[in-house]
Amino acid sequence: MRNTSIDFKSQVTVKLADVKLQGALSRLQTRFVEGRSAVIGEIDDLPATRTAAAAIRDRVLNDLEHWLLHFEQQATARGAIVHWAETGEDVNRIVAEIAAQHGVKTAAKSKSMVSEECGLNDALELAGIKVMETDLGEYILQLAHEAPSHIVAPVVHKNKEEISDLFAEKHQLPRKTGIAELCREAREVLRPAFLNADMGISGANFLVAETGSVLIVTNEGNGRLVTTLPRVHVAITGIEKVVPTLEDVTTLVRLLPRSATGQSITNYVSVLTGTKDNADHDGPEHFHIILLDNGRSSLVGSEMQEMLRCIRCGACMNHCPVYQNIGGHAYGWVYPGPMGSILTPLLGGIEKSPDLPNASTLCGACAVVCPVKIPLPDLLRKLREKQMERGMKSRQETFMLKAWAWLALHPAIYALTTKIGVRFMSMLGGKDKLLHSLPGASGWTNGRDFPAPAGRTFREMYRQGKRK
Amino acid sequence: MNARDKILGRIRNAQARQRTPAQVETISSHLAQHPRGPLPPSPDDLVASFRERAIKLSSDVLEAKERMEVPALLARYLDESKLPMRGVCWPSLAELPWNAAGLEMQSRPATNQDLVGVTGAFCAIAETGTLMMLSGAETPATTSLLPETHVAVLDPRRIVATMEDAWDLMRMECKQPPRAVNFISGPSRTADIEQTVTLGAHGPYRVLLILAPF
C-alpha cells in the first residue's frame, strides 16, 4: 500500500469536517472502549497477565533468530514450506510463483494487514489471479476500492446506508437495509468463492515455535473456510509474530480479543500445523508460510524494539483522542493510531512521515490499555528526538525550543520573563479571559481559544503561600 | 545471499552476541517445560461454569442423561426451531438411534448442501464456554463449519478449566497436534457493519451443545 502519510495535516482537515465519518467514529467509543472495559476485568490478575505477555514477546524478540529457526524447523517437519521475504514486492512475487506452481486461478482471502503492506491483491490481479476478500469488512472495501481505516474493524468509517447502496449496485440485487440482511447477502455471494477457490490466503496472528503452527483468531468463520477448503493455503505474516509455546500463545489469546473487540474469546481460534494427511477429507495439500521483514529487522536490538511486541489488537487507536477524531485514513498507510504513528515512520522512513510522531497529545491512554505494555508515548517521544537530531523540525520550532532551553538554564531571567509574560497575556485575555489568537501559534488558536494565564506566575503564588 | 540469510544476518548482527550454553539451555528448557502464565481461578463446578459461559456466547446448551437420549433431544430442538430433520454426523456418532427419533442422519463429511452437522468434540473449556476440535479422517472439520446449524455432543467429563488444561490433554492423548485445532465459541458472527453484532457470518448461525455422558 502506498504511504501517503506525508499529507497527514491536509488529510486531518478533511476528516475533521467529514460529518459522516465523525458519526461513524462515535461508535468506536461504545463498542470497543466500553466493550473492552466490560471484559478486561474477567482476567483475574490483569497486571500480572500483561507483564507475562510482555515477557513472552520479549523472550522471542531478544533471541529472534533462534526462535525463527526453531519455528521454521518445526513447520517444515510437518510439511509446510517456509518462505522469507525482505519486502512487500517479494511477498507478491512469492505468492504469484506459488500460484503458478499449483495452477491457481482464483484465491479466497481472509483478513491480513501484512498483505495490505504488500498491496498483494493488485499484484495478484496483474498476475491474472482473481482474489476475493472474504472478511465482510474487507469485502466491502474491495467492492468500494478503498483501504481499511482500522486494523480490527476495517470499514468503521462507513455507515449502513453506504453499504446498502454499494451492495445493491455491485450485486445487482434489491437494496437491503437491515444489517442482518446485508450480512446474509454477503454470505450467499461469497460462499461459492470459498468452494471454488484454488488457493486460500490468510494472515497469522501468531506463529508457535514449539509446534510450527500458524494461529489465527477470527469471528466470521471465513478464516476457517479459506484454510480448510482450498487445496493450497498461503499464510503471510511478519517475522516478529513468533511465540515460543502453546501456553505462551494462550496467555496472549486471553488478552488479544478482550483488548480488541471486548470479547472474552473470538468465535474461532485456529491452530494450523502442516498439510492434510492422506486419510483426511479436508485441509490443504500444500501449506506455504511467508515471513515478511519489510523493515522489522532494523528495529531488533534498537531502542525501538519494544514496538515489535505489538499483537495488533487496536486498543491503542480505540482509546486515542486523535484517532477518535480523525479516523484511520488520515494516517496515510496500513497502521493508524498510536501504533501506526510509530510503525509507519519506522518501517517506511522517518522522513516520509514527519507529522505522525507529533500526532499525539502524549496523554498516555494507549500505554495504559496496551496488553503487551509497549511504552507508546515514550517511543513517540524518541521519534520526535530523532526528528530533531536530523534537523526535520521547522526553523521556528527549533528556535523556540532552543530559546526555551536557554531560559530554563537561567532561573533569574526565566522568572523575570515569565512574570512579564503572564501579566501581558492576562491583560490581552480581556473580560472573557481567553486569547483568540497568538502570534506564531495560529495553528492552535485557529481552532480554539487559549485560556489566558491568571496574571501571576506559580512561583509568585507559591511564595505567598497560596498552594492551590 | 538469499532473503533468509539476509534477514537472519541482520538480526544476528543487531543482537551481536553468541548464546552461551546456559542461554541455549534456557531456551530448550522453556520449550520442554512450557510453563503456564497467570491463570484464572478454577471454578468449583466445571460443567455449570462451562454452561454459563457457552450460553453467554450465544450457544444453546441441552443436557442428556445418557448418549442414547441425544437423538430425541436433537429432534425436539430441530422441530421447535423449524429446522430440517436431517443432517450429517461424524462416524463416531453414526450408531446413535437417529431413525427412531425421526431424524435422517448420514455419516460423512459435510458439503455445502447440508444444513445440520453433528460432531463430537475433543474436549471443552469452562473458562470461555469453548469447544476444542481436532481435525482428522474421523473428525472432519467441515461438519462444524459448512452447515447453518452445528450440533456438538460432548461428554461433560471432558470439560477442563482452561485452554492450558486442554493443551495438556492433547499432549497426553496425541503424539502431535493434528493439522487443525479449532476452538469454537458459539455461532459465527460479525460486527463489521456499524459495529453491530450479527450472528451467522460465514460459519454456522447456531451452535447447540448437548452434554451427554459417554
Side-chain angles (χ1 to χ4, degrees):
Chain A
M1 186 174 162
R2 208 162 64 87
N3 179 355
T4 58
S5 57
I6 195 97
D7 301 324
F8 180 75
K9 279 188 178 159
S10 59
Q11 280 301 310
V12 167
T13 313
V14 175
K15 299 300 174 189
L16 285 174
D18 184 339
V19 180
K20 259 194 303 193
L21 176 70
Q22 293 299 321
L25 288 171
S26 67
R27 283 192 298 270
L28 273 179
Q29 191 70 28
T30 44
R31 173 87 179 118
F32 288 152
V33 174
E34 290 169 21
R36 174 190 175 276
S37 91
V39 302
I40 202 78
E42 290 174 355
I43 296 177
D44 192 41
D45 189 344
L46 181 60
T49 308
R50 287 175 75 222
T51 303
I56 289 164
R57 298 297 297 127
D58 285 349
R59 177 185 289 277
V60 167
L61 297 172
N62 289 334
D63 243 317
L64 189 56
E65 185 194 8
H66 171 88
W67 289 109
L68 279 168
L69 289 173
H70 194 87
F71 170 79
E72 183 187 41
Q73 187 196 340
Q74 295 300 311
T76 309
R78 288 294 302 271
I81 297 171
V82 179
H83 306 259
W84 302 75
E86 291 219 75
T87 64
E89 290 86 65
D90 292 341
V91 169
N92 298 343
R93 178 181 45 77
I94 294 167
V95 180
E97 281 168 9
I98 296 168
Q101 183 192 339
H102 298 294
V104 168
K105 298 273 183 301
T106 59
K109 185 160 169 279
S110 75
K111 195 161 108 47
S112 153
M113 297 314 288
V114 171
S115 77
E116 299 283 345
E117 281 183 43
C118 313
L120 177 67
N121 293 5
D122 291 345
L124 288 184
E125 296 284 346
L126 277 176
I129 298 150
K130 190 170 153 40
V131 189
M132 196 83 149
E133 290 283 356
T134 62
D135 170 84
L136 179 59
E138 292 286 345
Y139 172 66
I140 292 166
L141 294 177
Q142 190 180 29
L143 289 182
H145 303 286
E146 285 179 29
S149 69
H150 188 287
I151 62 170
V152 175
V155 70
V156 65
H157 59 280
K158 271 197 181 324
N159 64 29
K160 183 178 77 179
E161 283 68 35
E162 293 172 84
I163 296 164
S164 294
D165 292 343
L166 184 71
F167 275 15
E169 182 207 330
K170 301 282 179 179
H171 294 161
Q172 297 286 307
L173 288 167
R175 188 176 184 275
K176 314 286 191 301
T177 48
I179 291 176
E181 291 170 282
L182 290 166
C183 294
R184 176 109 215 172
E185 184 171 308
R187 175 191 172 103
E188 280 162 10
V189 170
L190 283 167
R191 195 42 95 86
F194 292 113
L195 297 166
N196 300 328
D198 306 306
M199 178 193 264
I201 302 173
S202 75
N205 293 90
F206 301 106
L207 304 168
V208 185
E210 176 191 0
T211 52
S213 314
V214 162
L215 184 146
I216 57 176
V217 301
T218 66
N219 280 311
E220 297 184 2
N222 63 318
R224 285 189 64 195
L225 286 161
V226 306
T227 61
T228 304
L229 300 180
R231 57 195 164 85
V232 184
H233 172 205
V234 180
I236 306 167
T237 197
I239 51 168
E240 83 283 16
K241 292 286 179 70
V242 195
V243 166
T245 65
L246 293 168
E247 277 74 7
D248 290 329
V249 88
T250 302
T251 298
L252 297 171
V253 165
R254 227 170 237 123
L255 286 163
L256 174 58
R258 287 188 170 98
S259 302
T261 51
Q263 291 176 281
S264 308
I265 188 166
T266 47
N267 272 92
Y268 303 111
V269 176
S270 302
V271 181
L272 307 165
T273 316
T275 50
K276 90 189 254 272
D277 282 340
N278 291 333
D280 284 353
H281 303 281
D282 44 48
E285 293 156 34
H286 309 279
F287 184 17
H288 295 265
I289 302 167
I290 306 178
L291 304 177
L292 172 67
D293 184 339
N294 206 25
R296 288 163 173 82
S297 62
S298 68
L299 310 188
V300 172
S302 79
E303 54 177 353
M304 310 302 283
Q305 182 181 293
E306 284 155 319
M307 194 58 228
L308 294 176
R309 283 184 196 158
C310 180
I311 60 172
R312 306 289 193 266
C313 70
C316 61
M317 59 198 73
N318 297 338
H319 290 78
C320 176
V322 177
Y323 181 94
Q324 285 168 357
N325 281 286
I326 63 173
H329 284 154
Y331 291 83
W333 198 50
V334 182
Y335 304 106
M339 55 81 83
S341 294
I342 297 165
L343 269 183
T344 304
L346 287 178
L347 300 184
I350 290 181
E351 280 76 13
K352 287 185 189 152
S353 318
D355 297 318
L356 293 188
N358 303 295
S360 165
T361 63
L362 301 183
C363 73
C366 50
V368 172
V369 296
C370 177
V372 287
K373 293 173 80 167
I374 302 172
L376 294 149
D378 293 346
L379 298 184
L380 285 165
R381 210 176 288 119
K382 281 179 191 166
L383 278 174
R384 293 181 188 183
E385 285 167 15
K386 280 185 202 288
Q387 291 184 323
M388 198 72 193
E389 285 161 17
R390 295 188 188 191
M392 286 170 64
K393 295 289 188 186
S394 70
R395 220 179 294 170
Q396 188 190 354
E397 193 177 338
T398 313
F399 172 75
M400 298 279 276
L401 281 170
K402 279 191 181 148
W404 186 85
W406 185 85
L407 268 181
L409 288 170
H410 298 80
I413 306 175
Y414 184 93
L416 181 68
T417 317
T418 49
K419 210 169 161 180
I420 298 167
V422 295
R423 280 178 174 75
F424 182 60
M425 283 167 83
S426 169
M427 207 175 70
L428 284 181
K431 240 186 240 155
D432 57 359
K433 295 185 175 147
L434 289 170
L435 299 169
H436 305 299
S437 70
L438 274 176
S442 58
W444 209 89
T445 49
N446 280 350
R448 44 218 169 307
D449 294 329
F450 188 88
R456 275 180 305 159
T457 66
F458 174 74
R459 293 209 282 192
E460 286 175 275
M461 288 195 276
Y462 187 80
R463 219 172 288 130
Q464 288 176 15
K466 288 183 185 172
R467 302 177 197 183
K468 282 177 188 167
Chain B
M1 232 175 22
N2 61 26
R4 178 180 183 275
D5 295 341
K6 282 188 201 159
I7 294 168
L8 292 175
R10 274 198 296 274
I11 295 170
R12 197 177 316 126
N13 290 339
Q15 298 188 318
R17 62 195 157 86
Q18 290 288 312
R19 276 194 304 276
T20 64
Q23 283 167 325
V24 177
E25 178 57 33
T26 324
I27 289 168
S28 50
S29 74
H30 184 79
L31 280 168
Q33 291 166 10
H34 46 81
R36 296 173 169 202
L39 296 176
S42 203
D44 300 328
D45 185 340
L46 286 174
V47 179
S49 169
F50 171 78
R51 256 184 88 105
E52 186 198 321
R53 297 299 307 189
I55 291 167
K56 211 169 170 183
L57 294 181
S58 311
S59 294
D60 295 325
V61 184
L62 295 174
E63 280 179 67
K65 283 194 196 64
E66 51 157 351
R67 236 162 102 86
M68 288 300 159
E69 275 184 14
V70 168
L73 270 180
L74 176 58
R76 198 177 322 137
Y77 176 88
L78 292 175
D79 187 46
E80 281 168 7
S81 316
K82 298 193 169 47
L83 294 167
M85 303 294 278
R86 61 181 182 282
V88 292
C89 69
W90 280 3
S92 59
L93 298 165
E95 298 311 313
L96 292 185
W98 302 111
N99 285 336
L103 294 172
E104 188 194 317
M105 202 60 68
Q106 295 182 22
S107 167
R108 57 168 171 80
T111 68
N112 194 40
Q113 279 70 46
D114 297 312
L115 293 172
V116 177
V118 184
T119 70
F122 175 72
C123 71
I125 299 166
E127 183 188 355
T128 44
T130 299
L131 293 170
M132 183 188 196
M133 320 285 281
L134 307 189
S135 73
E138 301 291 300
T139 55
T142 48
T143 315
S144 63
L145 182 59
L146 291 174
E148 293 190 1
T149 302
H150 170 211
V151 181
V153 183
L154 174 71
D155 184 342
R157 285 167 300 194
R158 297 283 289 186
I159 297 174
V160 298
T162 60
M163 198 182 275
E164 283 86 347
D165 288 342
W167 293 129
D168 276 353
L169 201 58
M170 185 187 82
R171 287 197 183 100
M172 215 159 66
E173 297 180 9
C174 315
K175 64 177 200 299
Q176 61 182 18
R179 181 196 69 78
V181 178
N182 281 299
F183 294 96
I184 301 178
S185 309
S188 72
R189 68 189 68 200
T190 178
D192 273 346
I193 303 180
E194 297 195 346
Q195 282 58 64
T196 305
V197 177
T198 308
L199 294 184
H202 294 299
Y205 278 79
R206 59 192 79 71
V207 172
L208 168 66
L209 310 173
I210 305 182
L211 300 177
F214 277 32

